């Protein structure tokens, strides 16, 4: 099984098989937390306006502008808040910038797209191997075209666990991610140093970082199951569930 | 001094100050070797046709197609060959794909663009600090939109040496590169594992890899000094030389 890690989405990437999309601070962590809280489906859209276009009585809007909940939205982008939110059986439209862009880049060519974070790392790795026939790729969202320490570290955690489950052939990006993972034994240290964590501190949301740094706390994996217009629809799946 | 590493060129990157462009296997190593051999200037162009347009009696063409010297070219892209080539006082037009693309991405906004490799790593780091006022960025060329272990490792060597010369504030990419550097004490091991090295093996040019893995053997730094049409003109500079 080929094991591939891309630190950033770029136009020319082609994915033949399974992609794990990582935006650990915070959108892929929040996505898992929303499923834990009982959300029926997640619609990933690229901006706040696209989210507002979905607004109706049965739909909740989640997102951020400068880290905070935008006007008219039901939820911000905090996984702590998501876990406690009254989302049972409902569709949550999530507006994310870097996360959606990465997911769209993956969905252009991949057979299966999953959302991965540290929070669901082991389940996501298992699911990826169940679905893959030749390659598991991990695509980091990064931040406005720049690589994120937090995302690439998470890719390293995923890569290491994938290597425990199955014999893998790591390419360049996977070796980079594995080296990074091994350089920081404490996930909270790695995530805390990232630009994404520093930005949260700037808006008083630094308590989200320890949440995002928890490893393998959820068995749920958001799996791409369709589209509505430009929105990507993710539904919850579990390892071992077809 | 901010210390930044980008594992890949992307459209949206903005460089306020100094950029070290790295394509260690092989174009930035070969560029240094050509200057060592006495070349007057290097013209970096994006493809073989653009190189051929410069052909005249005083100009040599260097480049590769599938790793090998293209028809009608004077030189391939081997640093071993470059060091022995009769290039004294002449212009060498180098056709490189990933290297030129990265250099153009840097040159769009940067004040100074330098070519760096392991071969000139310490000189390039010193020169970068001489020129910089706020930020030294290291831009890895990668390979067709994917991160290269060889380039990011070289970025780690540069970043570590920059940190010895001056107090630096590493951002996410720099921390990733530093972790990678520290994971591989032997440069030849890191470079040898890369996709770029494997591709050279496929065409019988694997002896270029140990050449590219030599650290700090040259004081020469190719420095962007102008353009001719789409070509970037690099001339040799030394640390301490204004």
């Amino acid at each position: 099984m080929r094991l591939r890690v891309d630190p950033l989405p770029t136009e020319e990437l082609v994915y033949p098989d399974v992609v794990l999309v990582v935006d650990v601070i915070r959108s892929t962590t929040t996505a898992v937390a929303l499923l834990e809280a009982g959300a029926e489906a997640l619609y990933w859209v690229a901006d706040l306006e696209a989210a507002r276009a979905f607004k109706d009585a049965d739909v909740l809007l989640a997102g951020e502008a400068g880290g905070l909940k935008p006007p008219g939205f039901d939820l911000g982008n905090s996984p702590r808040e998501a876990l406690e939110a009254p989302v049972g059986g409902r569709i949550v439209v999530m507006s994310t910038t870097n996360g959606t862009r990465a997911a769209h880049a993956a969905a252009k060519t991949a057979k299966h797209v999953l959302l991965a974070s540290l929070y669901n790392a082991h389940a996501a790795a298992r699911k990826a191997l169940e679905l893959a026939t030749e390659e598991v790729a991990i695509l980091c969202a990064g931040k406005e075209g720049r690589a994120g320490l937090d995302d690439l570290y998470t890719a390293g955690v995923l890569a290491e666990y994938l290597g425990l489950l199955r014999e893998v052939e790591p390419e360049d990006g996977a070796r980079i991610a594995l080296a990074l993972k091994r350089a920081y034994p404490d996930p909270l240290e790695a995530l805390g140093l990232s630009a994404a964590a520093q930005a949260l501190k700037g808006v008083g949301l630094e308590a989200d970082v320890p949440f995002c740094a928890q490893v393998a706390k959820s068995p749920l994996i958001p799996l791409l199951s369709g589209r509505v217009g430009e929105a990507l629809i993710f539904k919850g799946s579990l390892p071992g569930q077809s």
Side-chain angles (χ1 to χ4, degrees), chain A:
Chain A
M1 184 71 63
R2 291 196 308 271
L3 176 57
R4 163 178 177 185
V5 174
D6 290 311
L8 284 172
T10 61
E11 278 303 312
E12 58 209 308
L13 297 176
V14 174
Y15 294 103
D17 202 354
V18 173
V19 183
L20 292 158
V21 172
V22 175
D23 181 16
V24 68
I25 300 178
R26 296 175 287 173
S27 72
T28 56
T29 305
T30 299
V32 176
L34 287 167
L35 293 178
E36 284 280 353
E40 168 68 21
L42 310 173
Y43 287 14
W44 270 31
V45 299
D47 56 45
L48 302 179
E49 284 319 301
R52 290 193 177 102
F54 280 102
K55 180 70 189 164
D56 78 19
D58 292 330
V59 169
L60 294 170
L61 305 189
E64 64 179 297
L68 301 171
K69 184 170 85 170
F73 273 51
D74 304 288
L75 298 165
N77 189 25
S78 165
R80 289 176 297 148
E81 178 191 32
L83 206 55
E84 308 296 329
V87 298
R90 298 176 82 177
I91 290 166
V92 181
V93 178
M94 292 181 70
S95 162
T96 84
T97 310
N98 298 303
T100 299
R101 185 170 140 183
H104 272 281
K108 259 198 313 191
T109 54
K111 285 190 193 138
H112 305 282
V113 178
L114 296 74
L115 303 182
S117 58
L118 290 175
Y119 199 64
N120 73 343
H122 293 183
R126 287 175 58 200
K127 190 77 188 174
L129 286 176
E130 286 171 17
L131 295 168
T133 55
E134 50 176 313
E135 176 180 283
V136 174
I138 303 166
L139 174 59
C140 299
K143 199 167 157 65
E144 284 95 51
R146 297 182 60 180
L149 180 65
D150 50 331
D151 290 340
L152 201 61
Y153 178 85
T154 302
V157 171
L158 289 162
E160 193 172 68
Y161 195 71
L162 285 160
L164 295 175
L165 294 172
R166 184 85 59 90
E167 190 164 341
V168 293
E169 301 155 32
E171 49 65 83
D172 288 28
R175 290 187 194 276
I176 294 165
L178 286 165
L180 182 62
K181 193 276 169 180
R182 288 160 190 169
Y184 293 96
D186 176 7
L188 184 54
E189 184 191 359
L191 265 57
L193 287 167
S194 70
Q198 298 304 311
L200 284 182
K201 201 169 178 182
V203 293
L205 287 170
E206 61 266 36
D208 279 347
V209 180
F211 189 101
C212 294
Q214 299 175 91
V215 177
K217 296 292 180 188
S218 173
L220 288 167
I221 312 112
L223 177 65
L224 182 63
S225 63
R227 295 172 194 244
V228 188
E230 288 292 297
L232 300 174
I233 304 175
F234 289 94
K235 294 196 172 173
S237 67
L238 295 162
Q241 181 192 68
S242 66

